[in-house]
Amino acid sequence: MNVLAERIEQVKRLIKDADYILIGAGAGLSTSAGIEYFGKRFEDNFAEFIEKYHFTDMYSSGFYDFETEEEKWAYWAKHMYINCIGMKATKLYKDLFEIVKDKKYFVITTNVDEQFYKSGFDKKRIFRSTRKL
């Protein structure tokens, strides 16, 4: 058995034997799930903002000091639709839920893409940190 397979088996045993599971998640988990904030997905959905402001990705664009409130909220409305409202649960998050659903678990996340909620995690077991716009 190779090293990676051994580690996977070890993690499976640890989860199986654990009384409690604490999941800490940030942008890397959603990136691993295939949610990209750059490239074709960004270019296809934000062409008008890329043309006007020369944005390179959705993440850094979120820190831009827009000229008007209307432009700011036009950007954020689209951003929220593309990355939250209009997106279904990804396989990675659903698989993670299947692993912990019968355990006493808690999630601490900075992700605001709703993936934990959409994948079946109990909303009472999720702490989500957000930043003000």
Side-chain angles (χ1 to χ4, degrees):
M1 185 180 286
N2 67 38
V3 174
L4 179 58
E6 287 176 20
R7 287 185 180 169
I8 290 170
E9 288 305 313
Q10 181 183 19
V11 170
K12 284 181 180 178
R13 283 191 303 276
L14 289 169
I15 291 171
K16 182 179 178 273
D17 296 340
D19 293 325
Y20 302 94
I21 303 288
L22 177 62
I23 300 169
L29 187 61
S30 290
T31 300
S32 295
I35 302 171
E36 295 180 341
Y37 278 46
F38 55 89
K40 183 170 175 22
R41 183 170 176 266
F42 173 61
E43 293 162 6
D44 288 350
N45 290 289
F46 291 89
E48 67 277 17
F49 291 100
I50 294 168
E51 184 178 330
K52 183 171 184 176
Y53 296 108
H54 308 289
F55 290 160
T56 57
D57 61 83
M58 281 182 259
Y59 181 76
S60 61
S61 304
F63 297 99
Y64 189 78
D65 187 19
F66 289 92
E67 295 172 9
T68 68
E69 286 292 305
E70 290 81 8
E71 285 183 308
K72 171 184 170 182
W73 290 109
Y75 172 83
W76 278 105
K78 182 172 261 194
H79 182 95
M80 290 305 298
Y81 181 78
I82 297 298
N83 294 301
C84 181
I85 298 163
M87 184 180 298
K88 294 181 179 176
T90 62
K91 182 178 180 334
L92 184 141
Y93 280 87
K94 290 189 281 189
D95 289 348
L96 181 58
F97 178 67
E98 285 300 314
I99 291 168
V100 302
K101 71 180 181 182
D102 296 325
K103 292 286 190 179
K104 295 176 183 173
Y105 68 85
F106 193 79
V107 176
I108 300 173
T109 184
T110 56
N111 294 348
V112 294
D113 54 22
E114 305 284 317
Q115 285 293 307
F116 284 106
Y117 300 103
K118 291 178 179 187
S119 300
F121 286 82
D122 181 346
K123 65 182 177 182
K124 293 178 183 172
R125 295 181 182 192
I126 300 170
F127 173 80
R128 180 177 73 182
S129 172
T130 60
R131 69 176 180 94
K132 289 187 175 187
L133 297 177

